[in-house]
Amino acid sequence: MSQKLFVSADEVAKRAGVSRSAVSRAFTPGASVSELTRRKVIEAAEELGYHVNQLARGLMRNESGIVCLIVSDVATPYRSALLRELTQQLQTAGKVAMLVNTDRSDGSVDRALQQAIRYRADASIILSGLPDKSITQLCLRSGQRLVLINRDDDQPGPLRINLDDTEAAHRVVTAFLRAGCQRLAFANSDAGTPSLMARERGFVAAAKTQGLDVTVERYGFTSYDSGKMLAQRMLTRTERPDAVFCATDLLACGFMDAARHQFSISIPEQLSIVGFDDIEQASWTSYQLTTFAQPVAVIAGEAVQWLSAEPSSENERTSKLLHPELVWRGSVRAG
Amino acid sequence: MSQKLFVSADEVAKRAGVSRSAVSRAFTPGASVSELTRRKVIEAAEELGYHVNQLARGLMRNESGIVCLIVSDVATPYRSALLRELTQQLQTAGKVAMLVNTDRSDGSVDRALQQAIRYRADASIILSGLPDKSITQLCLRSGQRLVLINRDDDQPGPLRINLDDTEAAHRVVTAFLRAGCQRLAFANSDAGTPSLMARERGFVAAAKTQGLDVTVERYGFTSYDSGKMLAQRMLTRTERPDAVFCATDLLACGFMDAARHQFSISIPEQLSIVGFDDIEQASWTSYQLTTFAQPVAVIAGEAVQWLSAEPSSENERTSKLLHPELVWRGSVRAG
DNA sequence: TCGCTCTTTGCAAGCGTGTGCAAATGCTGC
DNA sequence: GCAGCATTTGCACACGCTTGCAAAGAGCGA
């Protein structure tokens, strides 16, 4: 492929007039080297442009430093925000992120995890989909850490980070009631993702305890266009809802736009809307969407901390439940 | 760290009753193995959950299969769209993406490239910032391919993919003139990114040939908030512009929102706006922004194709100039 | 000077794989 | 049966690094 290739530790050793082990030790924090040789090595390395070969190091140490991020729909606001947080925190923890894109096809996540295994990733973080049990078993057996974010799974081993969707749903119901709304609706995608379904169930259940029925509509993936479509379905009914909880901010944005510009409904006067995720667009002047903020920084922090910690016998809980924060903006009628 | 660790080719060989070389060859396309042994090996591998160790393979083949994506502001719509395209196309080309986040600090890109070198990445694709010449030299000398996207650099070696910003700027001027606009303005961030500056210069120059002056304002990074700020600065002037070319869709969205909701200006009747990038939000009903679409799929395609091709002596041109497509929506007054 | 301890250094084995080379095997035609 | 050839197989070395181990050196008190 290429000619000269990378400079190796041998060349550095020769130039610095030391043994190859010395070079290795000079680049290993905490290794036994005198300050003098270390300096000689570093200098020679810089002159030659030497950088430790992490492939070889990983092979020996049996620890690649690679963490595999498995995710679909990377270009989506919420996903990309989480991605930013994860990559940044991984970097400061001395790890490096390997990004594997999945689609909705069968076995997509499994293939991604196999990629992670091939590269001997120290850990994999799964943001989308759910891998086959046999593969996760293989990962764990191989000594690979696993983190599931917002995936509803109960097998032990992986760290599971989840949001309290039910609590959130309850809070939306109270907010809507306090605003004097009566005809509640839930706008969902029909992707059937665990967290989306949890929000829906929680919302319906909470409304029921208040003696209210909820109109539920599901359509497409969780996107802006689906939001518009959902609005068209719900707002052409004879009994229009006056309060809609959208499973996702993206859905909410589409819903709002359709409601305003197609149905000339004014928000929040005639229609209260709450979303979920607190994507950047939710704060834009055109939307001012009241929504739940996913604590992406905390999520990433928990994940990174867990997977760079020593596997202390019981590593405490392998499951974390975080609480989204309700961000009040202008899309819910004042009480 | 972990106990049992990954299963190696030796174990597979033993189980399949063949030599270790046979295992290796069974997983090497085009290697000399009989169909029988290959099948035996594959079967044994599946039973044991064996996956080739890419670290070791990369070490031998001197080709890791890793491509390093160097980028800042991952969570930004345009960046994440490009990222999605790149990771997907890399995957189908049999490569794997390593994501390195940069910030605006000095040497951030250089550190990222060093990371790429450490992992012996086959190539690096730089979407943000510009590395020091010495580092790029080191990369090239080490046999690493380099792709610069929308970075204005003239040193030979890397593949440079650029957009024709000047042509785009010219087209905006004609569009504005045809719409009967007279007071032209350019809203830019003051990040000084090469492509942003090229758009500004092109716009000013094109206007000049028509005998028109352009009000130029620069502020902050290229974000929604900067767009709002720019609107506040430009629309409080005594002579308001009636046509603004925003260097970025994100700026344009902020600009539009401020114009409409703070200054009650109606678009496009009193103010025509054109953006750049064609991020997803540009097509949202609230914006309907006329803008230039970056051909992200083509960009990614060119990059991936180039870096997975054999280094055919002269690999043709090392510089590609692509032409953004003008997407007409509703933010420019009809002529 | 010696003997002791503590630090630093080099040697060499090994990590899991690819691959050149020679030996072995299978096949064909006589 | 055998020569002749193409295909398949195994051995052993290489890739660039880490690290246990033993040898070498440094420091120091007697």
Side-chain angles (χ1 to χ4, degrees):
Chain A
M1 178 161 181
S2 50
Q3 334 279 36
K4 183 52 186 70
L5 291 174
F6 297 87
V7 23
S8 79
D10 275 310
E11 313 178 38
V12 179
K14 201 164 298 169
R15 179 169 192 116
V18 296
S19 78
R20 216 183 22 135
S21 337
V23 177
S24 178
R25 284 191 255 259
F27 285 100
T28 306
S32 169
V33 214
S34 72
E35 194 48 37
L36 178 64
T37 37
R38 149 171 263 116
R39 283 239 315 276
K40 281 197 293 187
V41 169
I42 299 291
E43 191 183 348
E46 285 194 344
E47 289 170 9
L48 268 56
Y50 169 78
H51 291 270
V52 177
N53 186 335
Q54 288 285 4
L55 271 51
R57 171 176 276 188
L59 195 54
M60 267 305 297
R61 290 237 183 107
N62 208 38
E63 188 179 336
S64 61
I66 296 175
V67 173
C68 190
L69 268 33
I70 298 177
V71 50
S72 70
D73 304 306
V74 201
T76 263
Y78 158 63
R79 287 279 161 68
S80 58
L82 188 47
L83 206 63
R84 160 171 48 79
E85 218 56 52
L86 279 168
T87 50
Q88 265 174 9
Q89 298 208 26
L90 281 173
Q91 264 170 258
T92 64
K95 305 275 185 187
V96 63
M98 166 167 283
L99 185 55
V100 179
N101 230 310
T102 62
D103 50 35
R104 305 178 214 283
S105 75
D106 258 16
S108 183
V109 181
D110 297 350
R111 280 192 298 278
L113 266 178
Q114 289 173 2
Q115 187 78 299
I117 292 181
R118 276 197 289 275
Y119 280 95
R120 299 302 189 256
D122 296 338
S124 297
I125 304 182
I126 301 182
L127 313 182
S128 318
L130 204 53
D132 191 84
K133 199 154 294 188
S134 66
I135 307 267
T136 66
Q137 284 311 312
L138 177 57
C139 285
L140 297 171
R141 190 154 25 100
S142 306
Q144 192 177 87
R145 307 282 247 282
L146 231 48
V147 179
L148 304 177
I149 297 185
N150 277 339
R151 320 280 85 215
D152 215 32
D153 192 42
D154 52 355
Q155 51 186 318
L159 170 66
R160 291 160 332 214
I161 303 181
N162 285 293
L163 257 56
D164 196 338
D165 294 299
T166 313
E167 181 205 33
H170 277 252
R171 295 182 61 188
V172 180
V173 171
T174 25
F176 280 161
L177 290 185
R178 199 175 309 158
C181 302
Q182 315 204 338
R183 297 182 303 283
L184 272 45
F186 188 86
N188 204 352
S189 97
D190 69 355
T193 308
S195 42
L196 300 186
M197 293 312 289
R199 286 166 211 165
E200 177 184 315
R201 281 193 309 270
F203 188 67
V204 173
K208 186 157 223 161
T209 63
Q210 304 296 325
L212 287 178
D213 271 346
V214 173
T215 313
V216 173
E217 193 89 47
R218 303 194 197 110
Y219 176 81
F221 302 119
T222 154
S223 68
Y224 174 87
D225 286 330
S226 299
K228 284 174 80 169
M229 190 62 183
L230 284 163
Q232 273 159 36
R233 292 201 180 168
M234 291 180 133
L235 301 178
T236 43
R237 299 179 172 228
T238 47
E239 275 262 297
R240 274 188 189 167
D242 59 359
V244 180
F245 181 22
C246 295
T248 275
D249 279 0
L250 230 34
L251 290 176
C253 287
F255 202 105
M256 288 177 88
D257 274 348
R260 280 179 177 147
H261 301 116
Q262 253 174 279
F263 296 90
S264 304
I265 293 175
S266 67
I267 299 169
E269 292 77 10
Q270 307 172 45
L271 179 64
S272 291
I273 295 196
V274 171
F276 204 104
D277 285 345
D278 193 25
I279 64 177
E280 211 211 305
Q281 288 74 28
S283 73
W284 287 9
T285 311
S286 286
Y287 300 98
Q288 286 299 318
L289 176 64
T290 295
T291 185
F292 287 93
Q294 292 226 28
V296 281
V298 179
I299 294 175
E302 290 282 354
V304 173
Q305 185 188 331
W306 182 78
L307 58 79
S308 35
E310 282 305 306
S312 63
S313 59
E314 247 335 296
N315 219 325
E316 293 141 43
R317 322 260 345 258
T318 91
S319 166
K320 294 263 177 191
L321 189 64
L322 303 180
H323 300 273
E325 184 198 352
L326 184 46
V327 181
W328 285 98
R329 296 207 181 89
S331 66
V332 173
R333 195 159 52 159
Chain B
M1 180 159 180
S2 49
Q3 333 280 35
K4 183 53 185 66
L5 290 173
F6 298 86
V7 22
S8 79
D10 275 310
E11 313 178 39
V12 179
K14 201 164 298 170
R15 179 166 193 120
V18 297
S19 80
R20 206 185 41 76
S21 334
V23 177
S24 178
R25 284 190 253 260
F27 285 100
T28 305
S32 168
V33 214
S34 72
E35 194 48 36
L36 177 65
T37 38
R38 148 171 264 117
R39 282 238 317 276
K40 281 196 294 185
V41 169
I42 298 290
E43 192 184 347
E46 283 194 345
E47 288 170 11
L48 268 56
Y50 168 77
H51 291 269
V52 177
N53 186 335
Q54 288 286 4
L55 271 50
R57 171 176 276 189
L59 194 54
M60 267 303 297
R61 288 235 185 108
N62 207 40
E63 187 179 338
S64 60
I66 296 174
V67 173
C68 189
L69 267 33
I70 298 178
V71 51
S72 70
D73 304 307
V74 202
T76 262
Y78 158 62
R79 286 277 161 70
S80 58
L82 189 46
L83 206 63
R84 160 171 49 79
E85 217 57 51
L86 279 168
T87 50
Q88 265 174 9
Q89 299 209 24
L90 281 173
Q91 263 169 260
T92 63
K95 305 276 184 184
V96 62
M98 166 167 284
L99 185 55
V100 179
N101 230 310
T102 61
D103 50 35
R104 303 178 215 283
S105 74
D106 259 15
S108 183
V109 181
D110 296 351
R111 280 193 298 278
L113 266 179
Q114 288 173 3
Q115 187 78 300
I117 292 181
R118 276 198 289 276
Y119 279 95
R120 298 302 189 256
D122 296 339
S124 297
I125 303 181
I126 301 181
L127 312 183
S128 319
L130 204 52
D132 192 83
K133 198 153 295 188
S134 66
I135 308 268
T136 65
Q137 284 311 311
L138 178 57
C139 286
L140 297 172
R141 189 154 25 100
S142 306
Q144 193 177 86
R145 308 281 248 282
L146 230 49
V147 179
L148 304 178
I149 297 184
N150 277 338
R151 321 279 84 216
D152 215 33
D153 191 40
D154 52 355
Q155 51 186 320
L159 170 66
R160 291 158 335 212
I161 302 180
N162 285 292
L163 257 56
D164 196 338
D165 294 298
T166 312
E167 180 205 34
H170 276 253
R171 294 181 62 187
V172 180
V173 171
T174 22
F176 280 162
L177 289 185
R178 199 175 311 158
C181 303
Q182 315 205 337
R183 297 182 303 283
L184 271 46
F186 189 85
N188 205 352
S189 96
D190 69 354
T193 308
S195 42
L196 300 186
M197 293 312 289
R199 286 165 210 167
E200 178 184 315
R201 281 194 309 270
F203 189 67
V204 173
K208 188 157 222 161
T209 63
Q210 304 295 325
L212 287 178
D213 271 347
V214 173
T215 313
V216 174
E217 194 88 48
R218 303 194 196 109
Y219 176 81
F221 302 119
T222 155
S223 68
Y224 174 86
D225 286 328
S226 298
K228 284 175 79 169
M229 190 62 183
L230 284 162
Q232 274 159 35
R233 290 202 182 167
M234 291 180 133
L235 301 178
T236 43
R237 300 179 172 226
T238 46
E239 276 262 297
R240 275 188 188 167
D242 58 0
V244 181
F245 182 21
C246 295
T248 274
D249 279 0
L250 230 36
L251 290 176
C253 288
F255 201 106
M256 288 177 88
D257 274 347
R260 281 180 177 146
H261 302 117
Q262 253 173 278
F263 295 90
S264 304
I265 293 175
S266 67
I267 298 169
E269 292 77 11
Q270 307 172 44
L271 178 64
S272 291
I273 295 195
V274 171
F276 204 104
D277 285 346
D278 193 24
I279 63 178
E280 210 211 304
Q281 288 73 30
S283 72
W284 287 9
T285 311
S286 286
Y287 300 99
Q288 286 299 318
L289 177 63
T290 294
T291 185
F292 288 92
Q294 293 225 28
V296 281
V298 179
I299 294 176
E302 290 283 354
V304 172
Q305 185 188 330
W306 182 78
L307 57 78
S308 35
E310 282 305 305
S312 64
S313 60
E314 246 336 295
N315 219 325
E316 293 141 43
R317 322 260 346 257
T318 92
S319 166
K320 293 263 179 191
L321 189 64
L322 302 179
H323 300 272
E325 183 197 352
L326 184 46
V327 182
W328 285 99
R329 297 208 181 87
S331 66
V332 172
R333 194 158 54 159

